Amino acid sequence: MTKKTFNPLNDCFVRYFFTDKGGEKVLLDFINAVMISADMKTFKAVEILNPFNLKQHYKDKETIVDVKCITKNGTVVIIEVQLSGNSKFPERILYYWAMNYSKLLKKGEQYDELTPVISINLLNFNLNKKSNNVHSCYMIYDTKSERLLTDHLQIHMIELKKFKFKDNNLPKDLNCWLGFFTTKNMEDYMSEIVKEKPIMEEAHKRYNNFIRNQLMMSEYEKKELYQYDKKIMLADERRIGRREGKLEGIKERNYTIAKDMKSKNMDIKLISEITGLTIEEIRKL
């Protein structure tokens, strides 16, 4: 009997895993793994700002970010899992970052009250096809001197389709975490990884709590079905678009041929038979 695969990128699971009661330990370790990979300062503690609530989760289908927390020094960290994207995805991420940054300043407060907002994005698609980098960090630099304008904007893109466990240049901690989010066999992966990274014992415990909860697994299945249907629908739309484009191209070609034949005073009925255009369409050429 084959083992049923589990999708760790399911948004219901991600939100539960990081933001349900007690999730601060695994959340902090994941964030610090990303920071170490980008040569940034790590954090000592986090406070979750959007704790997991199953009832709110399945009522709110369009939550802006999956995870939102604040560190001990006031830095806000937002985490989003995105299964598909397009050329405008960077603008979308920047917009979400801006929304969270603008909320930091209350009416009457000065700009020195603002703190950094870090956006971490787990992408299950290739955003930059020209690069093999799994993890990229974007900030605001001067194009000539490379001087950093401010550290308040920090956007991390992690392209999971490029990730290969044990075959990359990522630091150990981030490698372990990305292995967790991409594994096809969670049990086998956990039995191997806990020897290298003790915090994964807590990760394994949270995973087990999730899969043993019927209500959460029911919501998990709904999300999986929704994503599957969405994937099929997008594939159908692309296929229809290609077919319609091809047919449109054939028709344009036939218009050109008919116009040329008409200019040579060929019989309109014959032109219609050859090109498939109606006599009325040919007369209008």
Side-chain angles (χ1 to χ4, degrees), residues 215-257:
L215 287 175
M216 286 194 289
M217 282 303 293
S218 175
E219 184 62 14
Y220 165 89
E221 294 290 351
K222 289 177 187 175
K223 288 289 183 179
E224 288 299 287
L225 182 60
Y226 170 77
Q227 290 297 336
Y228 177 77
D229 288 345
K230 185 179 178 182
K231 185 177 180 180
I232 294 298
M233 183 176 69
L234 287 173
D236 286 344
E237 287 177 355
R238 291 192 189 102
R239 187 164 54 249
I240 291 169
R242 285 194 297 268
R243 185 168 65 242
E244 288 179 346
K246 187 176 180 180
L247 291 173
E248 188 64 29
I250 291 171
K251 195 164 186 178
E252 285 297 324
R253 185 189 65 187
N254 287 341
Y255 272 121
T256 302
I257 293 171

mmCIF file of all heavy atoms in Angstrom, residues 215-257:
data_model
loop_
_atom_site.group_PDB
_atom_site.id
_atom_site.type_symbol
_atom_site.label_atom_id
_atom_site.label_comp_id
_atom_site.label_asym_id
_atom_site.label_seq_id
_atom_site.Cartn_x
_atom_site.Cartn_y
_atom_site.Cartn_z
ATOM 1 N N LEU A 215 -10.974 17.952 11.801
ATOM 2 C CA LEU A 215 -11.478 19.223 11.288
ATOM 3 C C LEU A 215 -10.426 19.929 10.429
ATOM 4 O O LEU A 215 -10.722 20.450 9.350
ATOM 5 C CB LEU A 215 -11.902 20.132 12.443
ATOM 6 C CG LEU A 215 -13.193 19.756 13.167
ATOM 7 C CD1 LEU A 215 -13.425 20.676 14.349
ATOM 8 C CD2 LEU A 215 -14.380 19.803 12.217
ATOM 9 N N MET A 216 -9.196 19.932 10.913
ATOM 10 C CA MET A 216 -8.133 20.593 10.157
ATOM 11 C C MET A 216 -7.808 19.830 8.879
ATOM 12 O O MET A 216 -7.555 20.433 7.839
ATOM 13 C CB MET A 216 -6.886 20.755 11.027
ATOM 14 C CG MET A 216 -7.055 21.842 12.080
ATOM 15 S SD MET A 216 -5.530 22.376 12.896
ATOM 16 C CE MET A 216 -5.170 20.945 13.910
ATOM 17 N N MET A 217 -7.838 18.498 8.947
ATOM 18 C CA MET A 217 -7.576 17.715 7.747
ATOM 19 C C MET A 217 -8.694 17.879 6.722
ATOM 20 O O MET A 217 -8.458 17.847 5.519
ATOM 21 C CB MET A 217 -7.387 16.241 8.095
ATOM 22 C CG MET A 217 -6.019 15.930 8.680
ATOM 23 S SD MET A 217 -4.632 16.426 7.598
ATOM 24 C CE MET A 217 -4.847 15.298 6.203
ATOM 25 N N SER A 218 -9.904 18.087 7.210
ATOM 26 C CA SER A 218 -11.027 18.340 6.306
ATOM 27 C C SER A 218 -10.814 19.656 5.563
ATOM 28 O O SER A 218 -11.029 19.745 4.346
ATOM 29 C CB SER A 218 -12.336 18.401 7.097
ATOM 30 O OG SER A 218 -13.413 18.757 6.251
ATOM 31 N N GLU A 219 -10.358 20.690 6.279
ATOM 32 C CA GLU A 219 -10.078 21.969 5.650
ATOM 33 C C GLU A 219 -8.878 21.856 4.708
ATOM 34 O O GLU A 219 -8.852 22.469 3.639
ATOM 35 C CB GLU A 219 -9.807 23.024 6.726
ATOM 36 C CG GLU A 219 -9.600 24.433 6.197
ATOM 37 C CD GLU A 219 -10.808 24.993 5.475
ATOM 38 O OE1 GLU A 219 -11.912 24.427 5.590
ATOM 39 O OE2 GLU A 219 -10.640 26.008 4.769
ATOM 40 N N TYR A 220 -7.909 21.062 5.121
ATOM 41 C CA TYR A 220 -6.733 20.803 4.278
ATOM 42 C C TYR A 220 -7.168 20.200 2.944
ATOM 43 O O TYR A 220 -6.730 20.634 1.870
ATOM 44 C CB TYR A 220 -5.791 19.844 5.013
ATOM 45 C CG TYR A 220 -4.727 19.205 4.148
ATOM 46 C CD1 TYR A 220 -3.485 19.815 3.965
ATOM 47 C CD2 TYR A 220 -4.951 17.986 3.505
ATOM 48 C CE1 TYR A 220 -2.509 19.238 3.170
ATOM 49 C CE2 TYR A 220 -3.987 17.403 2.708
ATOM 50 C CZ TYR A 220 -2.765 18.025 2.546
ATOM 51 O OH TYR A 220 -1.805 17.446 1.751
ATOM 52 N N GLU A 221 -8.047 19.200 2.978
ATOM 53 C CA GLU A 221 -8.519 18.536 1.757
ATOM 54 C C GLU A 221 -9.284 19.508 0.863
ATOM 55 O O GLU A 221 -9.167 19.470 -0.365
ATOM 56 C CB GLU A 221 -9.407 17.341 2.111
ATOM 57 C CG GLU A 221 -8.689 16.201 2.819
ATOM 58 C CD GLU A 221 -7.721 15.470 1.905
ATOM 59 O OE1 GLU A 221 -7.723 15.722 0.684
ATOM 60 O OE2 GLU A 221 -6.940 14.644 2.423
ATOM 61 N N LYS A 222 -10.079 20.386 1.479
ATOM 62 C CA LYS A 222 -10.818 21.378 0.705
ATOM 63 C C LYS A 222 -9.862 22.302 -0.046
ATOM 64 O O LYS A 222 -10.089 22.635 -1.212
ATOM 65 C CB LYS A 222 -11.714 22.222 1.625
ATOM 66 C CG LYS A 222 -12.902 21.481 2.204
ATOM 67 C CD LYS A 222 -13.663 22.391 3.153
ATOM 68 C CE LYS A 222 -14.756 21.646 3.889
ATOM 69 N NZ LYS A 222 -15.419 22.515 4.891
ATOM 70 N N LYS A 223 -8.800 22.708 0.645
ATOM 71 C CA LYS A 223 -7.816 23.584 0.020
ATOM 72 C C LYS A 223 -7.093 22.879 -1.121
ATOM 73 O O LYS A 223 -6.819 23.475 -2.162
ATOM 74 C CB LYS A 223 -6.791 24.049 1.068
ATOM 75 C CG LYS A 223 -7.338 25.041 2.061
ATOM 76 C CD LYS A 223 -7.584 26.390 1.400
ATOM 77 C CE LYS A 223 -8.061 27.415 2.407
ATOM 78 N NZ LYS A 223 -8.275 28.731 1.789
ATOM 79 N N GLU A 224 -6.768 21.612 -0.915
ATOM 80 C CA GLU A 224 -6.084 20.844 -1.957
ATOM 81 C C GLU A 224 -6.967 20.695 -3.191
ATOM 82 O O GLU A 224 -6.506 20.828 -4.324
ATOM 83 C CB GLU A 224 -5.697 19.459 -1.418
ATOM 84 C CG GLU A 224 -4.556 19.484 -0.416
ATOM 85 C CD GLU A 224 -3.275 20.028 -1.002
ATOM 86 O OE1 GLU A 224 -2.625 19.331 -1.805
ATOM 87 O OE2 GLU A 224 -2.918 21.179 -0.668
ATOM 88 N N LEU A 225 -8.251 20.423 -2.965
ATOM 89 C CA LEU A 225 -9.196 20.274 -4.070
ATOM 90 C C LEU A 225 -9.365 21.596 -4.812
ATOM 91 O O LEU A 225 -9.398 21.634 -6.051
ATOM 92 C CB LEU A 225 -10.554 19.789 -3.548
ATOM 93 C CG LEU A 225 -11.638 19.542 -4.603
ATOM 94 C CD1 LEU A 225 -11.183 18.481 -5.603
ATOM 95 C CD2 LEU A 225 -12.950 19.112 -3.945
ATOM 96 N N TYR A 226 -9.433 22.687 -4.051
ATOM 97 C CA TYR A 226 -9.569 24.012 -4.652
ATOM 98 C C TYR A 226 -8.369 24.327 -5.542
ATOM 99 O O TYR A 226 -8.518 24.809 -6.671
ATOM 100 C CB TYR A 226 -9.708 25.072 -3.557
ATOM 101 C CG TYR A 226 -9.607 26.491 -4.067
ATOM 102 C CD1 TYR A 226 -10.678 27.094 -4.724
ATOM 103 C CD2 TYR A 226 -8.441 27.228 -3.894
ATOM 104 C CE1 TYR A 226 -10.580 28.389 -5.203
ATOM 105 C CE2 TYR A 226 -8.335 28.522 -4.364
ATOM 106 C CZ TYR A 226 -9.414 29.104 -5.007
ATOM 107 O OH TYR A 226 -9.309 30.383 -5.484
ATOM 108 N N GLN A 227 -7.157 24.059 -5.035
ATOM 109 C CA GLN A 227 -5.950 24.324 -5.806
ATOM 110 C C GLN A 227 -5.864 23.434 -7.038
ATOM 111 O O GLN A 227 -5.415 23.867 -8.106
ATOM 112 C CB GLN A 227 -4.699 24.126 -4.929
ATOM 113 C CG GLN A 227 -4.513 25.175 -3.853
ATOM 114 C CD GLN A 227 -4.304 26.568 -4.420
ATOM 115 O OE1 GLN A 227 -3.865 26.752 -5.559
ATOM 116 N NE2 GLN A 227 -4.638 27.572 -3.633
ATOM 117 N N TYR A 228 -6.312 22.181 -6.902
ATOM 118 C CA TYR A 228 -6.304 21.261 -8.042
ATOM 119 C C TYR A 228 -7.265 21.755 -9.130
ATOM 120 O O TYR A 228 -6.921 21.800 -10.313
ATOM 121 C CB TYR A 228 -6.693 19.861 -7.598
ATOM 122 C CG TYR A 228 -6.773 18.860 -8.732
ATOM 123 C CD1 TYR A 228 -5.610 18.325 -9.291
ATOM 124 C CD2 TYR A 228 -8.010 18.462 -9.251
ATOM 125 C CE1 TYR A 228 -5.681 17.421 -10.337
ATOM 126 C CE2 TYR A 228 -8.087 17.559 -10.305
ATOM 127 C CZ TYR A 228 -6.915 17.043 -10.843
ATOM 128 O OH TYR A 228 -6.988 16.155 -11.879
ATOM 129 N N ASP A 229 -8.473 22.143 -8.709
ATOM 130 C CA ASP A 229 -9.466 22.656 -9.665
ATOM 131 C C ASP A 229 -8.964 23.925 -10.346
ATOM 132 O O ASP A 229 -9.156 24.125 -11.549
ATOM 133 C CB ASP A 229 -10.791 22.947 -8.948
ATOM 134 C CG ASP A 229 -11.516 21.670 -8.551
ATOM 135 O OD1 ASP A 229 -11.150 20.595 -9.059
ATOM 136 O OD2 ASP A 229 -12.435 21.746 -7.717
ATOM 137 N N LYS A 230 -8.292 24.780 -9.559
ATOM 138 C CA LYS A 230 -7.751 26.025 -10.098
ATOM 139 C C LYS A 230 -6.674 25.740 -11.139
ATOM 140 O O LYS A 230 -6.625 26.380 -12.195
ATOM 141 C CB LYS A 230 -7.170 26.862 -8.948
ATOM 142 C CG LYS A 230 -6.675 28.233 -9.360
ATOM 143 C CD LYS A 230 -6.146 28.981 -8.142
ATOM 144 C CE LYS A 230 -5.592 30.338 -8.530
ATOM 145 N NZ LYS A 230 -5.042 31.040 -7.336
ATOM 146 N N LYS A 231 -5.843 24.754 -10.851
ATOM 147 C CA LYS A 231 -4.770 24.366 -11.765
ATOM 148 C C LYS A 231 -5.336 23.836 -13.081
ATOM 149 O O LYS A 231 -4.874 24.188 -14.168
ATOM 150 C CB LYS A 231 -3.892 23.303 -11.108
ATOM 151 C CG LYS A 231 -2.670 22.915 -11.906
ATOM 152 C CD LYS A 231 -1.829 21.910 -11.130
ATOM 153 C CE LYS A 231 -0.599 21.502 -11.929
ATOM 154 N NZ LYS A 231 0.228 20.510 -11.173
ATOM 155 N N ILE A 232 -6.368 22.978 -12.978
ATOM 156 C CA ILE A 232 -7.009 22.412 -14.168
ATOM 157 C C ILE A 232 -7.671 23.513 -14.994
ATOM 158 O O ILE A 232 -7.567 23.540 -16.223
ATOM 159 C CB ILE A 232 -8.049 21.340 -13.766
ATOM 160 C CG1 ILE A 232 -7.352 20.135 -13.119
ATOM 161 C CG2 ILE A 232 -8.850 20.900 -14.982
ATOM 162 C CD1 ILE A 232 -6.385 19.400 -14.014
ATOM 163 N N MET A 233 -8.332 24.436 -14.299
ATOM 164 C CA MET A 233 -9.030 25.525 -14.981
ATOM 165 C C MET A 233 -8.047 26.416 -15.737
ATOM 166 O O MET A 233 -8.287 26.786 -16.889
ATOM 167 C CB MET A 233 -9.807 26.360 -13.960
ATOM 168 C CG MET A 233 -10.644 27.482 -14.579
ATOM 169 S SD MET A 233 -11.621 28.353 -13.345
ATOM 170 C CE MET A 233 -10.322 29.189 -12.437
ATOM 171 N N LEU A 234 -6.917 26.735 -15.097
ATOM 172 C CA LEU A 234 -5.906 27.567 -15.755
ATOM 173 C C LEU A 234 -5.312 26.860 -16.969
ATOM 174 O O LEU A 234 -5.067 27.482 -18.005
ATOM 175 C CB LEU A 234 -4.794 27.916 -14.766
ATOM 176 C CG LEU A 234 -5.147 28.948 -13.684
ATOM 177 C CD1 LEU A 234 -4.016 29.064 -12.669
ATOM 178 C CD2 LEU A 234 -5.448 30.304 -14.297
ATOM 179 N N ALA A 235 -5.104 25.534 -16.840
ATOM 180 C CA ALA A 235 -4.568 24.755 -17.960
ATOM 181 C C ALA A 235 -5.548 24.754 -19.129
ATOM 182 O O ALA A 235 -5.152 24.895 -20.294
ATOM 183 C CB ALA A 235 -4.280 23.328 -17.514
ATOM 184 N N ASP A 236 -6.845 24.620 -18.817
ATOM 185 C CA ASP A 236 -7.880 24.644 -19.860
ATOM 186 C C ASP A 236 -7.933 26.002 -20.544
ATOM 187 O O ASP A 236 -8.080 26.088 -21.770
ATOM 188 C CB ASP A 236 -9.246 24.312 -19.260
ATOM 189 C CG ASP A 236 -9.386 22.835 -18.914
ATOM 190 O OD1 ASP A 236 -8.568 22.034 -19.408
ATOM 191 O OD2 ASP A 236 -10.298 22.492 -18.148
ATOM 192 N N GLU A 237 -7.818 27.068 -19.739
ATOM 193 C CA GLU A 237 -7.863 28.423 -20.302
ATOM 194 C C GLU A 237 -6.683 28.663 -21.247
ATOM 195 O O GLU A 237 -6.840 29.273 -22.300
ATOM 196 C CB GLU A 237 -7.852 29.448 -19.171
ATOM 197 C CG GLU A 237 -9.174 29.531 -18.415
ATOM 198 C CD GLU A 237 -9.110 30.495 -17.246
ATOM 199 O OE1 GLU A 237 -8.004 31.020 -16.965
ATOM 200 O OE2 GLU A 237 -10.154 30.717 -16.605
ATOM 201 N N ARG A 238 -5.501 28.168 -20.840
ATOM 202 C CA ARG A 238 -4.319 28.327 -21.702
ATOM 203 C C ARG A 238 -4.491 27.545 -23.000
ATOM 204 O O ARG A 238 -4.134 28.024 -24.073
ATOM 205 C CB ARG A 238 -3.072 27.849 -20.960
ATOM 206 C CG ARG A 238 -2.646 28.732 -19.800
ATOM 207 C CD ARG A 238 -1.267 28.353 -19.318
ATOM 208 N NE ARG A 238 -0.943 29.037 -18.075
ATOM 209 C CZ ARG A 238 -0.999 28.459 -16.877
ATOM 210 N NH1 ARG A 238 -1.351 27.191 -16.768
ATOM 211 N NH2 ARG A 238 -0.685 29.138 -15.796
ATOM 212 N N ARG A 239 -5.044 26.319 -22.890
ATOM 213 C CA ARG A 239 -5.239 25.472 -24.064
ATOM 214 C C ARG A 239 -6.245 26.099 -25.022
ATOM 215 O O ARG A 239 -6.035 26.130 -26.238
ATOM 216 C CB ARG A 239 -5.702 24.081 -23.629
ATOM 217 C CG ARG A 239 -5.768 23.069 -24.770
ATOM 218 C CD ARG A 239 -5.836 21.652 -24.261
ATOM 219 N NE ARG A 239 -6.914 21.453 -23.326
ATOM 220 C CZ ARG A 239 -6.740 21.222 -22.012
ATOM 221 N NH1 ARG A 239 -5.520 21.171 -21.519
ATOM 222 N NH2 ARG A 239 -7.762 21.044 -21.211
ATOM 223 N N ILE A 240 -7.335 26.609 -24.465
ATOM 224 C CA ILE A 240 -8.358 27.262 -25.291
ATOM 225 C C ILE A 240 -7.781 28.509 -25.945
ATOM 226 O O ILE A 240 -8.028 28.802 -27.115
ATOM 227 C CB ILE A 240 -9.594 27.611 -24.437
ATOM 228 C CG1 ILE A 240 -10.318 26.322 -24.011
ATOM 229 C CG2 ILE A 240 -10.547 28.522 -25.208
ATOM 230 C CD1 ILE A 240 -11.394 26.537 -22.966
ATOM 231 N N GLY A 241 -6.996 29.270 -25.160
ATOM 232 C CA GLY A 241 -6.377 30.486 -25.682
ATOM 233 C C GLY A 241 -5.440 30.191 -26.852
ATOM 234 O O GLY A 241 -5.447 30.900 -27.849
ATOM 235 N N ARG A 242 -4.646 29.108 -26.711
ATOM 236 C CA ARG A 242 -3.739 28.736 -27.796
ATOM 237 C C ARG A 242 -4.514 28.313 -29.033
ATOM 238 O O ARG A 242 -4.155 28.661 -30.157
ATOM 239 C CB ARG A 242 -2.818 27.596 -27.335
ATOM 240 C CG ARG A 242 -1.713 28.046 -26.377
ATOM 241 C CD ARG A 242 -0.650 26.974 -26.239
ATOM 242 N NE ARG A 242 -1.171 25.750 -25.666
ATOM 243 C CZ ARG A 242 -1.167 25.469 -24.372
ATOM 244 N NH1 ARG A 242 -0.667 26.336 -23.503
ATOM 245 N NH2 ARG A 242 -1.649 24.323 -23.923
ATOM 246 N N ARG A 243 -5.605 27.534 -28.837
ATOM 247 C CA ARG A 243 -6.405 27.072 -29.963
ATOM 248 C C ARG A 243 -7.087 28.241 -30.662
ATOM 249 O O ARG A 243 -7.089 28.326 -31.896
ATOM 250 C CB ARG A 243 -7.458 26.060 -29.486
ATOM 251 C CG ARG A 243 -8.262 25.452 -30.650
ATOM 252 C CD ARG A 243 -9.073 24.261 -30.215
ATOM 253 N NE ARG A 243 -10.099 24.621 -29.271
ATOM 254 C CZ ARG A 243 -10.162 24.155 -28.021
ATOM 255 N NH1 ARG A 243 -9.229 23.352 -27.561
ATOM 256 N NH2 ARG A 243 -11.131 24.510 -27.210
ATOM 257 N N GLU A 244 -7.645 29.169 -29.864
ATOM 258 C CA GLU A 244 -8.316 30.333 -30.451
ATOM 259 C C GLU A 244 -7.309 31.215 -31.188
ATOM 260 O O GLU A 244 -7.612 31.765 -32.249
ATOM 261 C CB GLU A 244 -9.025 31.127 -29.365
ATOM 262 C CG GLU A 244 -10.266 30.418 -28.819
ATOM 263 C CD GLU A 244 -10.942 31.210 -27.726
ATOM 264 O OE1 GLU A 244 -10.320 32.172 -27.206
ATOM 265 O OE2 GLU A 244 -12.091 30.872 -27.372
ATOM 266 N N GLY A 245 -6.102 31.328 -30.604
ATOM 267 C CA GLY A 245 -5.064 32.115 -31.262
ATOM 268 C C GLY A 245 -4.652 31.502 -32.582
ATOM 269 O O GLY A 245 -4.429 32.205 -33.572
ATOM 270 N N LYS A 246 -4.570 30.173 -32.595
ATOM 271 C CA LYS A 246 -4.201 29.467 -33.819
ATOM 272 C C LYS A 246 -5.268 29.648 -34.893
ATOM 273 O O LYS A 246 -4.969 29.904 -36.065
ATOM 274 C CB LYS A 246 -4.007 27.983 -33.507
ATOM 275 C CG LYS A 246 -3.454 27.175 -34.664
ATOM 276 C CD LYS A 246 -3.195 25.737 -34.244
ATOM 277 C CE LYS A 246 -2.627 24.918 -35.414
ATOM 278 N NZ LYS A 246 -2.374 23.522 -35.022
ATOM 279 N N LEU A 247 -6.540 29.518 -34.468
ATOM 280 C CA LEU A 247 -7.646 29.681 -35.420
ATOM 281 C C LEU A 247 -7.699 31.107 -35.964
ATOM 282 O O LEU A 247 -7.984 31.318 -37.148
ATOM 283 C CB LEU A 247 -8.986 29.332 -34.744
ATOM 284 C CG LEU A 247 -9.189 27.853 -34.386
ATOM 285 C CD1 LEU A 247 -10.461 27.680 -33.579
ATOM 286 C CD2 LEU A 247 -9.237 26.996 -35.651
ATOM 287 N N GLU A 248 -7.429 32.072 -35.073
ATOM 288 C CA GLU A 248 -7.430 33.467 -35.489
ATOM 289 C C GLU A 248 -6.322 33.710 -36.509
ATOM 290 O O GLU A 248 -6.498 34.444 -37.489
ATOM 291 C CB GLU A 248 -7.233 34.375 -34.264
ATOM 292 C CG GLU A 248 -7.405 35.856 -34.549
ATOM 293 C CD GLU A 248 -8.812 36.217 -34.982
ATOM 294 O OE1 GLU A 248 -9.771 35.534 -34.579
ATOM 295 O OE2 GLU A 248 -8.937 37.198 -35.749
ATOM 296 N N GLY A 249 -5.160 33.060 -36.265
ATOM 297 C CA GLY A 249 -4.045 33.195 -37.196
ATOM 298 C C GLY A 249 -4.375 32.624 -38.561
ATOM 299 O O GLY A 249 -4.022 33.206 -39.595
ATOM 300 N N ILE A 250 -5.068 31.475 -38.576
ATOM 301 C CA ILE A 250 -5.463 30.838 -39.845
ATOM 302 C C ILE A 250 -6.438 31.734 -40.604
ATOM 303 O O ILE A 250 -6.329 31.914 -41.821
ATOM 304 C CB ILE A 250 -6.100 29.454 -39.576
ATOM 305 C CG1 ILE A 250 -5.033 28.481 -39.054
ATOM 306 C CG2 ILE A 250 -6.755 28.905 -40.846
ATOM 307 C CD1 ILE A 250 -5.598 27.163 -38.566
ATOM 308 N N LYS A 251 -7.369 32.337 -39.858
ATOM 309 C CA LYS A 251 -8.357 33.196 -40.503
ATOM 310 C C LYS A 251 -7.691 34.437 -41.102
ATOM 311 O O LYS A 251 -8.028 34.855 -42.225
ATOM 312 C CB LYS A 251 -9.425 33.616 -39.494
ATOM 313 C CG LYS A 251 -10.659 34.207 -40.147
ATOM 314 C CD LYS A 251 -11.838 34.252 -39.193
ATOM 315 C CE LYS A 251 -13.093 34.709 -39.911
ATOM 316 N NZ LYS A 251 -14.271 34.718 -39.013
ATOM 317 N N GLU A 252 -6.740 35.018 -40.357
ATOM 318 C CA GLU A 252 -6.015 36.192 -40.867
ATOM 319 C C GLU A 252 -5.253 35.837 -42.143
ATOM 320 O O GLU A 252 -5.207 36.613 -43.103
ATOM 321 C CB GLU A 252 -5.044 36.706 -39.796
ATOM 322 C CG GLU A 252 -5.705 37.449 -38.654
ATOM 323 C CD GLU A 252 -6.404 38.725 -39.101
ATOM 324 O OE1 GLU A 252 -5.880 39.390 -40.022
ATOM 325 O OE2 GLU A 252 -7.479 39.043 -38.569
ATOM 326 N N ARG A 253 -4.657 34.640 -42.139
ATOM 327 C CA ARG A 253 -3.919 34.187 -43.320
ATOM 328 C C ARG A 253 -4.860 34.019 -44.518
ATOM 329 O O ARG A 253 -4.546 34.408 -45.644
ATOM 330 C CB ARG A 253 -3.225 32.857 -43.025
ATOM 331 C CG ARG A 253 -2.321 32.370 -44.164
ATOM 332 C CD ARG A 253 -1.839 30.958 -43.903
ATOM 333 N NE ARG A 253 -2.966 30.031 -43.913
ATOM 334 C CZ ARG A 253 -2.873 28.734 -43.589
ATOM 335 N NH1 ARG A 253 -1.702 28.241 -43.207
ATOM 336 N NH2 ARG A 253 -3.925 27.954 -43.641
ATOM 337 N N ASN A 254 -6.055 33.466 -44.252
ATOM 338 C CA ASN A 254 -7.042 33.270 -45.327
ATOM 339 C C ASN A 254 -7.556 34.599 -45.874
ATOM 340 O O ASN A 254 -7.841 34.724 -47.066
ATOM 341 C CB ASN A 254 -8.210 32.416 -44.830
ATOM 342 C CG ASN A 254 -7.821 30.960 -44.671
ATOM 343 O OD1 ASN A 254 -6.826 30.513 -45.244
ATOM 344 N ND2 ASN A 254 -8.591 30.208 -43.905
ATOM 345 N N TYR A 255 -7.670 35.606 -45.000
ATOM 346 C CA TYR A 255 -8.062 36.939 -45.450
ATOM 347 C C TYR A 255 -7.017 37.487 -46.424
ATOM 348 O O TYR A 255 -7.345 38.075 -47.468
ATOM 349 C CB TYR A 255 -8.201 37.898 -44.264
ATOM 350 C CG TYR A 255 -9.558 37.901 -43.623
ATOM 351 C CD1 TYR A 255 -9.731 37.589 -42.272
ATOM 352 C CD2 TYR A 255 -10.690 38.247 -44.363
ATOM 353 C CE1 TYR A 255 -10.981 37.603 -41.683
ATOM 354 C CE2 TYR A 255 -11.953 38.270 -43.788
ATOM 355 C CZ TYR A 255 -12.094 37.945 -42.445
ATOM 356 O OH TYR A 255 -13.336 37.966 -41.874
ATOM 357 N N THR A 256 -5.742 37.295 -46.088
ATOM 358 C CA THR A 256 -4.649 37.780 -46.936
ATOM 359 C C THR A 256 -4.671 37.087 -48.301
ATOM 360 O O THR A 256 -4.526 37.726 -49.350
ATOM 361 C CB THR A 256 -3.292 37.536 -46.250
ATOM 362 O OG1 THR A 256 -3.283 38.201 -44.979
ATOM 363 C CG2 THR A 256 -2.140 38.067 -47.109
ATOM 364 N N ILE A 257 -4.862 35.756 -48.267
ATOM 365 C CA ILE A 257 -4.908 34.975 -49.510
ATOM 366 C C ILE A 257 -6.096 35.409 -50.372
ATOM 367 O O ILE A 257 -5.972 35.619 -51.595
ATOM 368 C CB ILE A 257 -5.000 33.462 -49.202
ATOM 369 C CG1 ILE A 257 -3.702 32.984 -48.535
ATOM 370 C CG2 ILE A 257 -5.271 32.664 -50.483
ATOM 371 C CD1 ILE A 257 -3.788 31.570 -48.001
#
